[in-house]
């Protein structure tokens, strides 16, 4: 949605007033996808336009005024809802609502690493807009992005401590899991059940990074094209491709849950070894296949700890 002329005049006026108030405030520079961005050292009015930006901000003790809804939902992801009461929805993962963003009168916008140049050009007229340089589909890319958001919020040291705590927790889980399970017993597939069927998630997305860091060996079944986060939907005839020692099975919403319940009644599903071994782990798709960030990492580690406590003797 584009800004109409009266709205953008109002936004620019507010921006000028804010600039006059903070004219003598110190600033720091952040290197972003679209060049160096000057950010006030003490920003107050934040809008986040990606799930990882929201997660990082909340983890650092900064509650945004506005955020986008999670994929497949109409609010933020369930794992973070308790900490985001009062945050206004300003779009979805697919489309930002520019008028809603402008209405927050932000002094900083934390955007997705995948924000296109044309949208950046508009948003940067509202407030300094930080778009991280994405390292692409590589291991631990979420950490690089989280550090950029922390730098923008002038809280890099705090983020380093948060990330160090996560690494310590991953290492502790890895030690006990690898001591209890052989290599063959640690293969794991993450799939999301959609109304069209299951899609296999890449071994190089956020949640599989965390899963691998705890000792599991990710099996993406060789069905994902290079650079893509997941496969196309598999038919029930090809369901054996998700048959690892462990199957972490996610759904995003009620439509996906209904489709999964229907599939469970099929012979193709019940014949899977992982089903016979009772090692299908139901997980929240909003967390496991859409979210990223320090709080999401802890939530996933909570799930893995539960698997260990209940399933690994």
């Amino acid at each position: 949605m584009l800004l109409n002329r009266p709205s953008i005049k109002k936004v620019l006026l507010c921006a000028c007033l804010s600039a006059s108030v903070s004219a003598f405030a110190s600033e720091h520079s952040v290197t972003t996808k679209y060049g160096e961005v000057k950010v006030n050292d003490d920003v107050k009015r934040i809008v986040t336009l990606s799930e990882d930006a929201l997660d990082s901000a909340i983890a650092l003790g900064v509650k945004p005024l506005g955020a986008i809804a999670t994929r497949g939902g109409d609010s933020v992801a369930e794992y973070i809802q308790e900490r985001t009461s009062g945050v206004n929805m300003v779009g979805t993962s697919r489309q930002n609502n520019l008028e809603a963003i402008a209405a927050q009168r932000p002094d900083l916008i934390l955007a997705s690493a995948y924000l296109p140049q044309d949208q950046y050009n508009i948003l940067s007229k509202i407030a300094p807009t930080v778009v991280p340089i994405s390292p692409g589909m590589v291991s631990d890319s979420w950490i690089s992005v989280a550090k950029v958001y922390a730098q923008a919020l002038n809280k890099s040291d705090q983020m380093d401590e948060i990330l160090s705590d996560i690494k310590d927790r991953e290492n502790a889980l890895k030690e006990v899991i690898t001591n209890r399970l052989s290599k063959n017993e640690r293969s794991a597939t993450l799939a999301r059940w959609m109304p069209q069927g299951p899609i296999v998630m890449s071994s190089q997305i956020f949640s599989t990074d965390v899963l691998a860091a705890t000792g599991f060996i990710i099996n993406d079944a060789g069905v994902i094209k290079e650079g893509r986060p997941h496969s196309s939907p598999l038919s029930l005839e090809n369901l054996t491709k998700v048959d690892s020692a462990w199957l972490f099975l996610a759904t995003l919403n009620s439509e996906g849950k209904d489709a999964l319940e229907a599939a469970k009644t099929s012979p193709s599903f019940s014949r899977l070894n992982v089903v016979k071994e009772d090692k299908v782990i139901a997980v929240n798709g909003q967390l496991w296949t859409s979210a990223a960030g320090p709080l999401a990492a802890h939530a996933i580690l909570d799930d893995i700890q539960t698997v260990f406590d209940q399933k690994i003797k």
Side-chain angles (χ1 to χ4, degrees):
M1 182 183 298
L2 294 176
L3 289 169
N4 58 41
R5 190 172 298 279
S7 294
I8 198 165
K9 284 183 176 179
K10 184 177 180 181
V11 168
L12 293 175
L13 175 60
C14 292
C16 290
L17 291 173
S18 299
S20 66
V21 170
S22 59
F24 300 104
S26 57
E27 294 180 329
H28 62 284
S29 182
V30 182
T31 301
T32 78
K33 181 177 181 178
Y34 298 119
E36 295 292 314
V37 174
K38 294 288 187 182
V39 180
N40 190 297
D41 286 348
D42 189 27
V43 290
K44 301 292 187 186
R45 302 181 66 83
I46 315 299
V47 166
T48 59
L49 299 182
S50 69
E51 294 193 72
D52 50 357
L54 172 65
D55 186 298
S56 294
I58 295 291
L60 291 167
V62 178
K63 181 186 282 189
L65 297 169
I68 60 167
T70 187
R71 188 180 305 275
D74 55 9
S75 184
V76 299
E78 293 171 0
Y79 82 94
I80 204 170
Q81 283 182 359
E82 287 187 358
R83 305 177 72 163
T84 56
S85 62
V87 174
N88 299 298
M89 293 297 97
V90 295
T92 68
S93 61
R94 294 182 179 276
Q95 185 174 19
N96 299 322
N97 184 329
L98 295 175
E99 289 182 340
I101 295 167
Q104 307 305 315
R105 295 175 53 196
D107 52 17
L108 175 64
I109 297 172
L110 300 179
S112 163
Y114 302 101
L115 185 78
Q117 174 88 57
D118 58 341
Q119 290 191 39
Y120 170 79
N121 292 342
I122 298 172
L123 289 167
S124 61
K125 288 180 170 58
I126 299 172
T129 301
V130 169
V131 181
I133 300 172
S134 172
M137 294 281 291
V138 297
S139 179
D140 288 344
S141 61
W142 72 274
I143 291 177
S144 301
V145 172
K147 287 183 175 181
V148 175
Y149 295 138
Q151 185 186 4
L153 294 170
N154 205 21
K155 293 178 179 289
S156 292
D157 290 345
Q158 190 175 336
M159 179 59 80
D160 288 343
E161 292 179 9
I162 290 170
L163 295 173
S164 178
D165 288 344
I166 291 170
K167 184 56 66 180
D168 288 346
R169 196 176 172 198
E170 289 174 340
N171 289 339
L173 269 169
K174 183 177 182 178
E175 182 174 357
V176 294
I177 288 172
T178 55
N179 283 338
R180 296 285 184 87
L181 299 177
S182 69
K183 187 175 181 180
N184 289 338
E185 294 172 315
R186 285 186 275 123
S187 68
T189 296
L190 172 62
R192 185 170 73 206
W193 207 284
M194 306 292 287
Q196 302 85 359
I199 57 176
V200 180
M201 307 305 294
S202 168
S203 61
Q204 295 177 315
I205 65 170
F206 162 72
S207 56
T208 49
D209 267 353
V210 176
L211 193 59
T214 63
F216 287 95
I217 301 167
I218 308 303
N219 171 27
D220 66 7
V223 295
I224 304 171
K225 294 181 180 178
E226 185 175 353
R228 299 291 298 169
H230 55 71
S231 72
S232 299
L234 300 179
S235 65
L236 290 179
E237 288 73 20
N238 285 321
L239 202 54
T240 54
K241 293 183 182 299
V242 303
D243 204 359
S244 297
W246 298 87
L247 174 58
F248 292 82
L249 195 50
T251 52
L252 275 180
N253 49 34
S254 59
E255 288 82 3
K257 290 177 182 177
D258 291 344
L260 174 59
E261 290 306 311
K264 285 180 177 178
T265 65
S266 73
S268 300
F269 192 90
S270 58
R271 280 198 294 265
L272 295 176
N273 291 323
V274 71
V275 174
K276 295 175 182 175
E277 295 289 331
D278 191 24
K279 290 181 178 176
V280 178
I281 311 298
V283 294
N284 188 316
Q286 293 181 0
L287 171 63
W288 279 72
T289 68
S290 185
L295 297 178
H298 276 298
I300 288 174
L301 291 172
D302 288 345
D303 286 349
I304 296 172
Q305 181 69 57
T306 299
V307 171
F308 178 79
D309 293 341
Q310 297 181 351
K311 297 282 188 178
I312 302 175
K313 306 299 181 183

